Amino acid sequence: MKDQAAPGDGPGATARQRLSTRETAERLGVKPETVYAYVSRGQLSSRRAPGGRGSTFDVAEVDALARRTGRRESSAATGDLVFRTGITLIESDRYYFRGVDATALARQYAYEEVAEWLWTGHLRPDIRFTAPAEALAAAGRAVDALPAHSGSTDRLRVAVIAAATADPLRFDLSREAVLASARSLIPTLVGALPLASRASSTGDGSGGRADVSGVGLARRLWPKLTARPADEPSVTALDTALALLIDHDLAASTLAARVAASAHAHPYAVVSAGLGVLEGPLHGAASSLAHRMLTEVLERGSAVPVVADHLRTGRRVPGLGHRLYTSEDPRAQTLFALLADVPQAAPALAAARDVVTTTARHAPLHANVDLALAVLSVSSGMAAEAGETVFAVSRTAGWIAHALEEYGERPLRIRPSGQYEGPRPPQPLPTPAGGPLQ
């Protein structure tokens, strides 16, 4: 559309582009009715089109509104809710943190360093997060009060709430306050988890929960996941997994975290919102299913009967395929390469490749990060839910990054409208199923 002089502009005035109502709606990713709602609320100004047919809108004003509301033109075509973000880009089967290849970052830097980069755009070599004693003690007591059968996500959710109660400044949403809360919350979550084996307790009466300053988060998390002694290649793989999983655009849990942040919930509540969604079997819990599948493949000696059982019962083969990648998940590629250097991972790695090859006869699906996490957990003697724990701890940093962005937006902007499909009013008052009230 070429620039046109708006009605009333003199011949020497600078021409400014005008958009029709339909074009404005597409640019904002809303219905035409919503455009007029923006006009009525004073968020947009309109002019009658030449000839008096319809309205026109200034393109600069429309783009400014799109930035404030977080909508953009592509949402109209896909029907998806789209947010402007400077955190993660997924493009051409790769993904990037702040424009830097995320897999390269994860291979080069520790989890805490990548988290700090994501939050601030500044690299702080050798940074280590520290859990405040009061928060760690509160979270540990809360976790210990749970039933023995509680899962790791149960423990993490309780630990977040307990840590929040120990932080009277949690309602301060200034950037520095939120960052301080994040740097203390993540090691508190790790510290609150019980040791995989009480026999490996530190012997200091803390149940292995004393925060060890100067030690990387992956090394602190290792004894919470497995009783096996830590070896350098395995801890490196765990640390890389944590860094790889920090963020992955607007996954379901991240959207929940942004909704909470949009309501100006404090960072602990934001993380709680993300954890609630993460527990779904189609999100963070997917690696547990892949772990159980790999265990069965190893027990039966081949992926063929295991994959056949999944297909026969109509179940998806876990750990395969990803809607954002046409080839192998780059996170899985990176982890597989590291696990190839871990001798005890060889059987599980071969089982994973067997699953991919066997399934390819039925559908050309590639490995995703859940299968790679399952190789790590199976080969390290971890429980089936270990991958879910790694996912939750790691993604906490991503939720905080998105919260920091959302705190800078217009509050409560994430407010979709429902399309009512129930009975039209007026309807009579309902009566009890047994008849009228006596």
Side-chain angles (χ1 to χ4, degrees):
M1 179 177 178
K2 295 184 181 291
D3 289 350
Q4 297 176 348
D9 288 339
T14 301
R16 300 190 67 181
Q17 186 178 3
R18 306 291 297 179
L19 301 173
S20 68
T21 302
R22 179 185 59 79
E23 291 168 332
T24 300
E26 290 178 354
R27 206 173 189 96
L28 292 171
V30 300
K31 297 178 180 179
E33 294 86 350
T34 306
V35 173
Y36 290 110
Y38 286 141
V39 173
S40 67
R41 292 197 294 262
Q43 293 174 278
L44 270 182
S45 58
S46 65
R47 291 181 183 173
R48 298 300 296 174
R53 302 181 65 179
S55 300
T56 65
F57 302 85
D58 182 81
V59 66
E61 190 177 5
V62 171
D63 285 346
L65 178 60
R67 287 192 293 272
R68 294 197 302 273
T69 60
R71 298 182 183 273
R72 64 188 184 203
E73 189 174 355
S74 60
S75 64
T78 63
D80 294 332
L81 188 63
V82 180
F83 294 85
R84 295 178 185 273
T85 176
I87 299 172
T88 301
L89 170 67
I90 300 175
E91 186 175 74
S92 302
D93 279 347
R94 308 299 301 171
Y95 77 118
Y96 306 86
F97 291 157
R98 293 183 174 271
V100 177
D101 187 293
T103 59
L105 276 172
R107 287 193 301 265
Q108 183 71 25
Y109 299 108
Y111 169 75
E112 296 98 315
E113 294 168 334
V114 178
E116 191 74 20
W117 161 263
L118 205 65
W119 293 336
T120 68
H122 299 290
L123 188 68
R124 295 177 62 187
D126 301 321
I127 185 173
R128 295 292 182 263
F129 299 155
T130 303
E134 185 178 0
L136 186 56
R141 288 192 299 269
V143 167
D144 285 343
L146 292 174
H149 65 264
S150 300
S152 63
T153 308
D154 298 322
R155 297 185 177 107
L156 291 172
R157 288 206 308 263
V158 167
V160 170
I161 295 171
T165 64
D167 184 1
L169 302 180
R170 63 187 179 277
F171 298 103
D172 183 353
L173 300 187
S174 66
R175 185 173 185 82
E176 285 310 312
V178 172
L179 287 172
S181 296
R183 294 179 186 121
S184 65
L185 173 59
I186 295 173
T188 297
L189 294 181
V190 172
L193 292 172
L195 291 165
S197 170
R198 293 295 182 183
S200 60
S201 171
T202 58
D204 59 6
S206 66
R209 287 194 173 117
D211 192 50
V212 185
S213 60
V215 176
L217 199 81
R219 194 168 291 278
R220 281 180 269 176
L221 180 58
W222 180 269
K224 308 304 178 81
L225 300 176
T226 178
R228 291 187 184 179
D231 61 273
E232 207 57 42
S234 295
V235 172
T236 297
L238 175 59
D239 194 13
T240 304
L242 287 166
L244 289 169
L245 291 166
I246 283 181
D247 190 56
H248 205 236
D249 196 37
L250 278 183
S253 59
T254 304
L255 176 59
R258 287 199 79 129
V259 171
S262 179
H264 280 191
H266 57 70
Y268 300 89
V270 167
V271 172
S272 292
L275 285 171
V277 177
L278 194 67
E279 198 168 18
L282 301 181
H283 194 12
S287 62
S288 300
L289 302 176
H291 176 107
R292 294 183 175 93
M293 177 189 66
L294 282 189
T295 300
E296 187 179 358
V297 171
L298 290 170
E299 290 172 350
R300 301 178 71 170
S302 171
V304 173
V306 178
V307 171
D309 285 345
H310 278 77
L311 298 178
R312 184 181 301 116
T313 56
R315 292 175 292 156
R316 292 181 56 188
V317 179
L320 299 180
H322 197 290
R323 64 186 294 265
L324 297 180
Y325 300 113
T326 58
S327 60
E328 192 171 64
D329 186 334
R331 300 169 297 177
Q333 289 178 349
T334 302
L335 279 182
F336 285 150
L338 287 173
L339 290 166
D341 294 329
V342 180
Q344 64 267 28
L349 194 57
R353 294 301 188 197
D354 193 10
V355 168
V356 174
T357 302
T358 302
T359 308
R361 305 175 193 172
H362 171 73
L365 296 174
H366 300 277
N368 63 35
V369 72
D370 296 314
L371 190 61
L373 280 176
V375 172
L376 173 63
S377 60
V378 169
S379 62
S380 302
M382 299 176 182
E385 63 179 7
E388 185 176 351
T389 306
V390 174
F391 204 115
V393 170
S394 170
R395 193 55 61 91
T396 297
W399 295 331
I400 294 295
H402 282 271
L404 286 166
E405 278 195 341
E406 196 59 44
Y407 288 147
E409 298 286 351
R410 177 174 56 83
L412 293 174
R413 69 191 180 114
I414 309 174
R415 178 62 171 86
S417 298
Q419 183 173 333
Y420 180 73
E421 295 181 348
R424 297 298 305 171
Q427 296 288 322
L429 287 173
T431 57
L437 291 172
Q438 301 298 319

